Short mmCIF file of all heavy atoms in Angstrom, two decimals:
data_model
loop_
_atom_site.label_atom_id
_atom_site.label_comp_id
_atom_site.label_asym_id
_atom_site.label_seq_id
_atom_site.Cartn_x
_atom_site.Cartn_y
_atom_site.Cartn_z
N LEU A 1 0.83 -1.21 0.00
CA LEU A 1 0.00 0.00 0.00
C LEU A 1 0.86 1.26 0.00
O LEU A 1 0.52 2.24 -0.67
CB LEU A 1 -0.94 0.01 1.20
CG LEU A 1 -2.18 -0.86 1.04
CD1 LEU A 1 -2.90 -1.00 2.38
CD2 LEU A 1 -3.12 -0.29 0.00
N THR A 2 1.97 1.24 0.74
CA THR A 2 2.87 2.40 0.74
C THR A 2 3.39 2.66 -0.66
O THR A 2 3.38 3.81 -1.14
CB THR A 2 4.05 2.16 1.70
OG1 THR A 2 3.54 1.94 3.02
CG2 THR A 2 5.00 3.34 1.70
N PHE A 3 3.84 1.62 -1.34
CA PHE A 3 4.39 1.77 -2.68
C PHE A 3 3.33 2.22 -3.68
O PHE A 3 3.52 3.21 -4.40
CB PHE A 3 5.03 0.46 -3.14
CG PHE A 3 5.59 0.54 -4.53
CD1 PHE A 3 6.78 1.20 -4.77
CD2 PHE A 3 4.92 -0.03 -5.59
CE1 PHE A 3 7.30 1.29 -6.05
CE2 PHE A 3 5.42 0.05 -6.88
CZ PHE A 3 6.61 0.71 -7.11
N VAL A 4 2.21 1.51 -3.73
CA VAL A 4 1.16 1.80 -4.73
C VAL A 4 0.57 3.18 -4.51
O VAL A 4 0.45 3.98 -5.46
CB VAL A 4 0.07 0.71 -4.70
CG1 VAL A 4 -1.13 1.11 -5.53
CG2 VAL A 4 0.63 -0.62 -5.18
N MET A 5 0.19 3.49 -3.28
CA MET A 5 -0.44 4.79 -3.03
C MET A 5 0.59 5.92 -3.09
O MET A 5 0.26 7.05 -3.44
CB MET A 5 -1.18 4.78 -1.70
CG MET A 5 -2.35 3.80 -1.69
SD MET A 5 -3.50 4.02 -3.07
CE MET A 5 -4.56 5.26 -2.41
N GLY A 6 1.84 5.63 -2.76
CA GLY A 6 2.90 6.62 -2.93
C GLY A 6 3.10 6.98 -4.39
O GLY A 6 3.25 8.16 -4.75
N GLN A 7 3.09 5.97 -5.26
CA GLN A 7 3.18 6.21 -6.70
C GLN A 7 1.99 7.03 -7.20
O GLN A 7 2.15 7.96 -7.99
CB GLN A 7 3.25 4.89 -7.46
CG GLN A 7 4.54 4.14 -7.29
CD GLN A 7 5.71 4.89 -7.90
OE1 GLN A 7 5.61 5.48 -8.96
NE2 GLN A 7 6.82 4.88 -7.20
N ARG A 8 0.80 6.69 -6.70
CA ARG A 8 -0.40 7.43 -7.11
C ARG A 8 -0.33 8.88 -6.64
O ARG A 8 -0.72 9.79 -7.37
CB ARG A 8 -1.65 6.75 -6.57
CG ARG A 8 -2.91 7.42 -7.07
CD ARG A 8 -4.13 6.60 -6.85
NE ARG A 8 -4.04 5.39 -7.66
CZ ARG A 8 -4.71 4.28 -7.39
NH1 ARG A 8 -5.48 4.22 -6.32
NH2 ARG A 8 -4.60 3.23 -8.15
N TYR A 9 0.19 9.09 -5.43
CA TYR A 9 0.33 10.46 -4.93
C TYR A 9 1.33 11.25 -5.78
O TYR A 9 1.09 12.42 -6.09
CB TYR A 9 0.77 10.46 -3.46
CG TYR A 9 1.06 11.84 -2.96
CD1 TYR A 9 0.03 12.75 -2.74
CD2 TYR A 9 2.36 12.26 -2.74
CE1 TYR A 9 0.30 14.04 -2.30
CE2 TYR A 9 2.64 13.54 -2.30
CZ TYR A 9 1.60 14.43 -2.09
OH TYR A 9 1.87 15.70 -1.67
N ILE A 10 2.44 10.62 -6.15
CA ILE A 10 3.44 11.29 -6.98
C ILE A 10 2.84 11.68 -8.34
O ILE A 10 3.09 12.77 -8.85
CB ILE A 10 4.68 10.40 -7.15
CG1 ILE A 10 5.45 10.33 -5.83
CG2 ILE A 10 5.59 10.92 -8.27
CD1 ILE A 10 6.53 9.27 -5.80
N GLU A 11 2.01 10.80 -8.91
CA GLU A 11 1.40 11.08 -10.21
C GLU A 11 0.32 12.15 -10.16
O GLU A 11 0.22 12.98 -11.06
CB GLU A 11 0.79 9.80 -10.78
CG GLU A 11 1.80 8.76 -11.19
CD GLU A 11 1.16 7.42 -11.53
OE1 GLU A 11 -0.09 7.32 -11.52
OE2 GLU A 11 1.92 6.47 -11.79
N THR A 12 -0.50 12.12 -9.09
CA THR A 12 -1.68 13.01 -9.05
C THR A 12 -1.52 14.19 -8.10
O THR A 12 -2.29 15.15 -8.22
CB THR A 12 -2.93 12.22 -8.62
OG1 THR A 12 -2.75 11.76 -7.28
CG2 THR A 12 -3.20 11.06 -9.56
N SER A 13 -0.62 14.13 -7.15
CA SER A 13 -0.45 15.13 -6.10
C SER A 13 -1.71 15.34 -5.27
O SER A 13 -1.90 16.40 -4.68
CB SER A 13 0.01 16.47 -6.69
OG SER A 13 1.24 16.33 -7.32
N LYS A 14 -2.57 14.33 -5.22
CA LYS A 14 -3.80 14.42 -4.41
C LYS A 14 -3.53 13.84 -3.02
O LYS A 14 -3.13 12.70 -2.88
CB LYS A 14 -4.94 13.66 -5.08
CG LYS A 14 -5.42 14.32 -6.35
CD LYS A 14 -6.63 13.60 -6.91
CE LYS A 14 -7.10 14.30 -8.16
NZ LYS A 14 -8.27 13.63 -8.74
N ILE A 15 -3.78 14.69 -2.02
CA ILE A 15 -3.59 14.26 -0.64
C ILE A 15 -4.60 13.18 -0.26
O ILE A 15 -4.26 12.22 0.41
CB ILE A 15 -3.73 15.47 0.32
CG1 ILE A 15 -2.63 16.47 0.08
CG2 ILE A 15 -3.76 15.04 1.77
CD1 ILE A 15 -1.27 16.03 0.50
N MET A 16 -5.84 13.36 -0.71
CA MET A 16 -6.90 12.42 -0.35
C MET A 16 -7.30 11.63 -1.57
O MET A 16 -7.68 12.23 -2.57
CB MET A 16 -8.08 13.21 0.21
CG MET A 16 -9.12 12.38 0.86
SD MET A 16 -8.40 11.59 2.28
CE MET A 16 -9.78 10.67 2.83
N PRO A 17 -7.26 10.34 -1.57
CA PRO A 17 -6.84 9.42 -0.50
C PRO A 17 -5.38 8.99 -0.60
O PRO A 17 -4.84 8.44 0.35
CB PRO A 17 -7.76 8.23 -0.71
CG PRO A 17 -7.93 8.14 -2.19
CD PRO A 17 -7.93 9.60 -2.66
N ALA A 18 -4.74 9.21 -1.76
CA ALA A 18 -3.43 8.62 -2.01
C ALA A 18 -2.38 9.05 -0.99
O ALA A 18 -1.65 8.21 -0.45
CB ALA A 18 -2.96 8.96 -3.42
N GLY A 19 -2.25 10.33 -0.71
CA GLY A 19 -1.23 10.82 0.22
C GLY A 19 -1.46 10.33 1.64
O GLY A 19 -0.51 9.91 2.33
N ILE A 20 -2.71 10.36 2.08
CA ILE A 20 -3.04 9.91 3.44
C ILE A 20 -2.76 8.42 3.60
O ILE A 20 -2.14 8.00 4.58
CB ILE A 20 -4.53 10.21 3.76
CG1 ILE A 20 -4.82 11.71 3.66
CG2 ILE A 20 -4.94 9.64 5.10
CD1 ILE A 20 -4.18 12.55 4.72
N VAL A 21 -3.24 7.62 2.65
CA VAL A 21 -3.05 6.17 2.74
C VAL A 21 -1.56 5.83 2.64
O VAL A 21 -1.08 4.96 3.37
CB VAL A 21 -3.89 5.43 1.68
CG1 VAL A 21 -3.56 3.94 1.66
CG2 VAL A 21 -5.37 5.63 1.93
N ALA A 22 -0.82 6.50 1.77
CA ALA A 22 0.61 6.23 1.64
C ALA A 22 1.34 6.56 2.94
O ALA A 22 2.18 5.78 3.41
CB ALA A 22 1.20 7.03 0.48
N ALA A 23 1.03 7.70 3.55
CA ALA A 23 1.68 8.10 4.79
C ALA A 23 1.33 7.16 5.94
O ALA A 23 2.20 6.72 6.69
CB ALA A 23 1.30 9.53 5.15
N LEU A 24 0.04 6.84 6.07
CA LEU A 24 -0.40 5.92 7.12
C LEU A 24 0.22 4.54 6.93
O LEU A 24 0.68 3.92 7.90
CB LEU A 24 -1.93 5.83 7.13
CG LEU A 24 -2.55 4.93 8.19
CD1 LEU A 24 -2.19 5.41 9.59
CD2 LEU A 24 -4.06 4.90 8.02
N SER A 25 0.26 4.08 5.69
CA SER A 25 0.84 2.76 5.42
C SER A 25 2.34 2.76 5.67
O SER A 25 2.89 1.75 6.13
CB SER A 25 0.54 2.35 3.97
OG SER A 25 -0.85 2.19 3.80
N ALA A 26 3.03 3.86 5.39
CA ALA A 26 4.46 3.96 5.69
C ALA A 26 4.70 3.88 7.20
O ALA A 26 5.63 3.19 7.65
CB ALA A 26 5.04 5.24 5.12
N LEU A 27 3.86 4.56 7.98
CA LEU A 27 3.97 4.47 9.44
C LEU A 27 3.73 3.05 9.93
O LEU A 27 4.46 2.53 10.78
CB LEU A 27 2.98 5.43 10.11
CG LEU A 27 3.31 6.90 10.02
CD1 LEU A 27 2.15 7.74 10.55
CD2 LEU A 27 4.57 7.21 10.80
N MET A 28 2.71 2.41 9.38
CA MET A 28 2.39 1.04 9.79
C MET A 28 3.50 0.08 9.36
O MET A 28 3.83 -0.84 10.11
CB MET A 28 1.04 0.61 9.21
CG MET A 28 -0.15 1.35 9.79
SD MET A 28 -0.28 1.26 11.58
CE MET A 28 -0.64 -0.47 11.80
N SER A 29 4.09 0.30 8.19
CA SER A 29 5.21 -0.54 7.75
C SER A 29 6.36 -0.44 8.74
O SER A 29 6.96 -1.46 9.10
CB SER A 29 5.69 -0.11 6.36
OG SER A 29 4.71 -0.31 5.39
N GLY A 30 6.68 0.78 9.16
CA GLY A 30 7.73 0.96 10.16
C GLY A 30 7.42 0.25 11.46
O GLY A 30 8.30 -0.39 12.06
N PHE A 31 6.18 0.34 11.89
CA PHE A 31 5.76 -0.33 13.13
C PHE A 31 5.89 -1.84 12.99
O PHE A 31 6.42 -2.51 13.89
CB PHE A 31 4.32 0.06 13.47
CG PHE A 31 3.73 -0.71 14.62
CD1 PHE A 31 4.18 -0.50 15.91
CD2 PHE A 31 2.73 -1.64 14.41
CE1 PHE A 31 3.65 -1.21 16.97
CE2 PHE A 31 2.19 -2.35 15.46
CZ PHE A 31 2.65 -2.14 16.75
N TYR A 32 5.43 -2.39 11.87
CA TYR A 32 5.50 -3.84 11.67
C TYR A 32 6.95 -4.32 11.58
O TYR A 32 7.29 -5.37 12.12
CB TYR A 32 4.73 -4.27 10.43
CG TYR A 32 3.24 -4.05 10.53
CD1 TYR A 32 2.52 -3.57 9.45
CD2 TYR A 32 2.54 -4.33 11.69
CE1 TYR A 32 1.15 -3.36 9.53
CE2 TYR A 32 1.17 -4.12 11.78
CZ TYR A 32 0.48 -3.64 10.70
OH TYR A 32 -0.87 -3.44 10.78
N LEU A 33 7.79 -3.57 10.90
CA LEU A 33 9.21 -3.94 10.82
C LEU A 33 9.86 -3.89 12.21
O LEU A 33 10.70 -4.74 12.53
CB LEU A 33 9.94 -3.04 9.83
CG LEU A 33 9.54 -3.25 8.36
CD1 LEU A 33 10.15 -2.16 7.48
CD2 LEU A 33 9.95 -4.63 7.87
N TYR A 34 9.47 -2.92 13.01
CA TYR A 34 9.95 -2.85 14.40
C TYR A 34 9.50 -4.09 15.18
O TYR A 34 10.28 -4.68 15.92
CB TYR A 34 9.43 -1.57 15.07
CG TYR A 34 9.64 -1.56 16.56
CD1 TYR A 34 10.89 -1.29 17.10
CD2 TYR A 34 8.58 -1.82 17.42
CE1 TYR A 34 11.08 -1.30 18.48
CE2 TYR A 34 8.76 -1.82 18.79
CZ TYR A 34 10.01 -1.56 19.32
OH TYR A 34 10.20 -1.57 20.67
N LYS A 35 8.24 -4.49 14.99
CA LYS A 35 7.72 -5.67 15.70
C LYS A 35 8.48 -6.93 15.28
O LYS A 35 8.78 -7.79 16.10
CB LYS A 35 6.22 -5.86 15.45
CG LYS A 35 5.33 -4.79 16.06
CD LYS A 35 5.55 -4.62 17.54
CE LYS A 35 4.93 -5.71 18.35
NZ LYS A 35 5.07 -5.50 19.80
N ILE A 36 8.79 -7.03 13.98
CA ILE A 36 9.56 -8.19 13.51
C ILE A 36 10.95 -8.17 14.13
O ILE A 36 11.45 -9.20 14.61
CB ILE A 36 9.62 -8.22 11.97
CG1 ILE A 36 8.24 -8.56 11.39
CG2 ILE A 36 10.67 -9.21 11.49
CD1 ILE A 36 8.14 -8.39 9.89
N ALA A 37 11.60 -7.00 14.14
CA ALA A 37 12.96 -6.88 14.66
C ALA A 37 13.04 -7.18 16.16
O ALA A 37 14.06 -7.68 16.64
CB ALA A 37 13.50 -5.48 14.39
N THR A 38 11.97 -6.88 16.90
CA THR A 38 12.00 -7.11 18.35
C THR A 38 11.37 -8.43 18.76
O THR A 38 11.21 -8.70 19.95
CB THR A 38 11.29 -5.95 19.09
OG1 THR A 38 9.93 -5.86 18.65
CG2 THR A 38 12.03 -4.65 18.88
N GLY A 39 11.01 -9.25 17.79
CA GLY A 39 10.52 -10.60 18.13
C GLY A 39 9.02 -10.72 18.27
O GLY A 39 8.53 -11.66 18.91
N GLY A 40 8.26 -9.80 17.74
CA GLY A 40 6.79 -9.91 17.79
C GLY A 40 6.21 -9.37 19.07
O GLY A 40 6.81 -8.54 19.76
N ASN A 41 5.02 -9.86 19.40
CA ASN A 41 4.32 -9.41 20.61
C ASN A 41 5.00 -9.99 21.85
O ASN A 41 5.42 -11.14 21.86
CB ASN A 41 2.85 -9.85 20.58
CG ASN A 41 2.08 -9.15 19.49
OD1 ASN A 41 2.30 -7.99 19.23
ND2 ASN A 41 1.17 -9.86 18.85
N HIS A 42 5.08 -9.18 22.88
CA HIS A 42 5.65 -9.62 24.14
C HIS A 42 4.52 -9.83 25.13
O HIS A 42 3.52 -9.10 25.14
CB HIS A 42 6.67 -8.61 24.67
CG HIS A 42 7.81 -8.44 23.71
ND1 HIS A 42 8.83 -9.34 23.61
CD2 HIS A 42 8.07 -7.49 22.80
CE1 HIS A 42 9.68 -8.96 22.68
NE2 HIS A 42 9.22 -7.81 22.16
N PHE A 43 4.68 -10.81 25.98
CA PHE A 43 3.60 -11.21 26.88
C PHE A 43 3.93 -10.79 28.30
O PHE A 43 5.07 -10.91 28.74
CB PHE A 43 3.42 -12.73 26.83
CG PHE A 43 3.21 -13.23 25.44
CD1 PHE A 43 4.24 -13.80 24.72
CD2 PHE A 43 1.99 -13.08 24.82
CE1 PHE A 43 4.07 -14.23 23.41
CE2 PHE A 43 1.79 -13.51 23.51
CZ PHE A 43 2.83 -14.08 22.81
#
């Protein structure tokens, strides 16, 4: 979603929905990569 919506934002320069979804997905990608690096959920 980060890649696809980022490309769409670059092509159209429309914040809604492409820019918002790309930014949110980039944040979520960072969070998920952090979770993978730290071993997943901790109990």
Side-chain angles (χ1 to χ4, degrees):
L1 281 169
T2 301
F3 179 76
V4 170
M5 296 308 273
Q7 289 294 320
R8 185 165 295 157
Y9 174 72
I10 289 168
E11 291 170 4
T12 64
S13 298
K14 291 185 179 180
I15 295 290
M16 191 64 181
I20 300 291
V21 173
L24 181 61
S25 296
L27 288 172
M28 292 304 293
S29 295
F31 173 70
Y32 295 139
L33 291 170
Y34 168 77
K35 292 305 284 184
I36 290 171
T38 59
N41 293 322
H42 299 283
F43 306 100

